[in-house]
């Protein structure tokens, strides 16, 4: 493990595990947000159902705003900044002497406008296109047997089912879908293999880029060093003081609120994950917290309400507990009827077999409905 974590003489070069971790964080944000929206959409479908149905577009627009803010202010994507990484324009030769003489970050390493646009293309655009391509492949029945999806349907059956659609217009669409279903898994596999080879080359210091498009953009990933922290501190201290006054303060808060919200995502993300996990644990069936307030067997089932005696039924004394209303002796082998009254088993059996009713309530009863009371 020490070999794979070794970064050599360059202490600011991140390991492959840091880069993979920040990519996994970025990949987990979309399904997590979709799950939260789906849960709240069940309660507020009028407002959130359309967003859930267009989740890919909503997530792409949201990440476009977030990633653009972090690239402009921090020179890194949201996930990279979360792991203490940044992007820089890779120089042809490392300016070691320039950094030692002047200190700080060279101006040539900061991201330019075109670098930000290119980064947004691969941070937002490419994942969006891949997600839509995967959804279209699944809509076509990707991975399902052709017999189930009726791909080889008879042309005469198609003509019968689509009377208003000409066959000449249907065949090109059918061939396109069939070709797409065949080629998409292979193209996706080649793309993933391409990324894997770059990861292996980066791991063994064969290339400074762990993704192929970084070589085209001329950008590499670095750890945030002491120079970056000093520059951020100086930028905060050197910010111009705002004019005093209530109106100026309100204007300052309104203009700074979106930036403060975006910057706080770095702290809100782990807090939100902890809160969701806590709620999941709290409401889980095996949670110790729930077992303190509820019985492990579930809520107690209330006993059925006893039927009142019928006027033409036998009379009995309610104060004499344990006395059979039929034989007026101590109950032997207690047996309950569906009406809720308890008799001796022999008395109850004879009564039901002869008359077919409860002797107290005259409720129709069968022999198989007798239940022995185990005390």
């Amino acid at each position: 493990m020490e070999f794979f974590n070794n970064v050599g003489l360059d202490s600011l070069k991140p390991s492959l595990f840091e880069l993979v971790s920040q990519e996994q964080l970025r990949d987990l944000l979309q399904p997590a947000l979709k799950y939260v929206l789906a849960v709240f959409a069940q309660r507020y479908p009028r407002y959130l159902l359309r967003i859930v149905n267009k989740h890919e577009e909503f997530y792409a627009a949201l990440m476009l705003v977030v990633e653009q803010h972090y690239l402009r202010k921090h020179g890194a994507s949201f996930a990279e900044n979360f792991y203490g990484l940044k992007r820089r324009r890779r120089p042809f030769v490392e300016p070691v002497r320039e950094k030692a003489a002047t200190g700080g970050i060279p101006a040539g390493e900061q991201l330019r406008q075109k670098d930000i646009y290119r980064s947004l293309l691969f941070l937002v655009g490419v994942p969006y296109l891949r997600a839509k391509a995967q959804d279209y492949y699944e809509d076509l029945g990707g991975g399902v047997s052709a017999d189930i999806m009726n791909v080889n349907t008879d042309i005469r059956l198609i003509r019968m089912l689509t009377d208003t659609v000409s066959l000449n217009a249907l065949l090109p669409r059918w061939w396109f879908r069939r070709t797409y279903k065949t080629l998409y898994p292979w193209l996706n596999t080649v793309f993933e293999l391409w990324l894997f080879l770059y990861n292996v080359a980066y791991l063994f210091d064969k290339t400074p880029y762990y993704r192929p498009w970084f070589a085209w953009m001329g950008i590499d990933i670095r750890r945030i060093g002491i120079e970056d922290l000093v520059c951020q501190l100086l930028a905060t201290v050197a910010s111009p003081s705002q004019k005093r006054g209530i109106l100026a303060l309100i204007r300052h808060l309104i203009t700074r609120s979106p930036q403060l919200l975006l910057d706080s995502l770095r702290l809100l993300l782990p807090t939100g994950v902890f809160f969701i996990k806590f709620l999941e644990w709290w409401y889980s069936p095996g949670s110790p917290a729930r077992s303190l307030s509820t019985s492990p067997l579930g809520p107690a089932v209330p006993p059925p309400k006893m039927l009142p005696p019928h006027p033409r039924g036998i009379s009995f004394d309610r104060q004499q507990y344990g006395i059979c209303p039929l034989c007026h002796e101590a109950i032997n082998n207690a047996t309950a009827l569906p009406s809720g009254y308890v008799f001796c088993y022999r008395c109850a059996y004879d009564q039901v077999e002869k008359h077919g009713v409860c002797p107290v309530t005259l409720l129709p009863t069968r022999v198989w409905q007798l239940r022995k009371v185990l005390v």
Side-chain angles (χ1 to χ4, degrees):
M1 183 62 73
E2 294 180 358
F3 168 75
F4 293 106
N5 286 332
N6 185 21
V7 293
L9 299 177
D10 192 357
S11 60
L12 297 181
K13 179 182 177 181
S15 64
L16 179 63
F17 300 100
E18 296 176 79
L19 300 174
V20 172
S21 298
Q22 63 90 16
E23 279 210 344
Q24 290 179 347
L25 173 62
R26 187 168 63 243
D27 295 338
L28 291 175
L29 290 178
Q30 182 174 3
L33 180 60
K34 186 176 183 179
Y35 173 76
V36 173
L37 289 176
V39 171
F40 282 98
Q42 297 178 3
R43 177 165 300 198
Y44 308 102
R46 181 180 179 182
Y47 306 100
L48 299 178
L49 190 58
R50 295 182 180 179
I51 298 179
V52 174
N53 294 334
K54 296 292 183 179
H55 174 71
E56 286 78 9
E57 289 75 10
F58 171 75
Y59 180 77
L62 179 63
M63 293 308 297
L64 181 64
V65 176
V66 174
E67 299 290 10
Q68 185 176 10
H69 170 77
Y70 274 83
L71 286 172
R72 291 183 183 277
K73 184 173 182 179
H74 303 284
S77 66
F78 169 71
E80 292 165 356
N81 182 260
F82 183 82
Y83 278 91
L85 305 176
K86 69 170 185 177
R87 298 188 176 202
R88 69 161 186 175
R89 300 181 71 252
R90 180 175 176 81
F92 293 101
V93 180
E94 291 291 340
V96 180
R97 294 184 178 180
E98 179 183 354
K99 291 182 179 180
T102 60
I105 302 175
E109 293 185 0
Q110 298 179 359
L111 297 181
R112 300 178 181 178
Q113 194 68 24
K114 65 176 183 179
D115 300 324
I116 295 177
Y117 291 151
R118 291 175 179 178
S119 299
L120 289 175
L121 174 63
F122 289 100
L123 286 172
V124 181
V126 173
Y128 170 74
L129 295 178
R130 293 191 65 187
K132 298 299 290 185
Q134 179 66 25
D135 291 343
Y136 184 67
Y137 176 71
E138 294 177 356
D139 291 340
L140 295 180
V144 183
S145 175
D147 297 334
I148 300 178
M149 298 305 298
N150 295 327
V151 176
N152 298 322
T153 308
D154 192 1
I155 296 180
R156 290 178 297 179
L157 181 59
I158 297 178
R159 188 175 301 173
M160 293 173 58
L161 297 176
T162 56
D163 296 334
T164 59
V165 180
S166 64
L167 188 61
N168 294 331
L170 185 63
L171 281 178
R173 185 185 306 175
W174 180 77
W175 280 108
F176 170 77
R177 294 179 178 180
R178 184 176 182 181
T179 305
Y180 184 86
K181 282 184 59 178
T182 305
L183 294 181
Y184 176 78
W186 292 99
L187 295 177
N188 191 42
T189 303
V190 171
F191 183 77
E192 294 292 342
L193 181 61
W194 188 31
L195 300 183
F196 175 74
L197 293 178
Y198 258 84
N199 287 343
V200 174
Y202 180 86
L203 182 63
F204 291 97
D205 291 331
K206 300 300 181 181
T207 177
Y209 312 103
Y210 87 105
R211 284 292 180 259
W213 48 82
F214 282 149
W216 170 67
M217 295 188 295
I219 294 175
D220 61 352
I221 307 294
R222 306 286 291 177
R223 291 195 183 109
I224 295 180
I226 187 64
E227 294 86 0
D228 301 280
L229 299 177
V230 171
C231 290
Q232 294 178 5
L233 181 61
L234 293 178
T236 304
V237 174
S239 59
S241 59
Q242 299 293 330
K243 296 181 179 180
R244 297 182 178 274
I246 299 178
L247 295 179
L249 180 60
I250 295 176
R251 188 183 302 110
H252 175 70
L253 291 177
I254 294 176
T255 55
R256 290 286 298 172
S257 294
Q259 299 181 4
L260 293 176
L261 178 61
L262 293 174
D263 289 335
S264 62
L265 290 178
R266 184 174 181 179
L267 298 177
L268 292 178
L269 178 62
T271 307
V273 171
F274 171 78
F275 182 70
I276 292 176
K277 284 296 182 181
F278 175 77
L279 292 180
E280 183 181 3
W281 167 81
W282 183 267
Y283 289 104
S284 61
S287 173
R290 288 178 60 87
S291 63
L292 295 177
S293 58
T294 60
S295 172
L297 301 179
V301 179
K305 186 177 181 181
M306 183 175 293
L307 297 177
H310 196 275
R312 290 184 294 177
I314 63 173
S315 61
F316 66 98
D317 189 0
R318 293 178 177 270
Q319 302 299 328
Q320 295 181 356
Y321 295 98
I323 302 300
C324 177
L326 290 174
C327 65
H328 302 286
E329 296 180 0
I331 294 179
N332 183 18
N333 199 358
T335 302
L337 273 63
S339 59
Y341 292 90
V342 180
F343 308 87
C344 299
Y345 175 76
R346 177 53 58 187
C347 298
Y349 184 86
D350 294 340
Q351 172 71 21
V352 172
E353 188 177 20
K354 293 179 181 179
H355 305 284
V357 294
C358 172
V360 179
T361 62
L362 302 185
L363 179 70
T365 308
R366 299 294 181 265
V367 175
W368 59 270
Q369 293 179 314
L370 301 180
R371 294 293 182 269
K372 292 187 177 182
V373 179
L374 304 177
V375 181

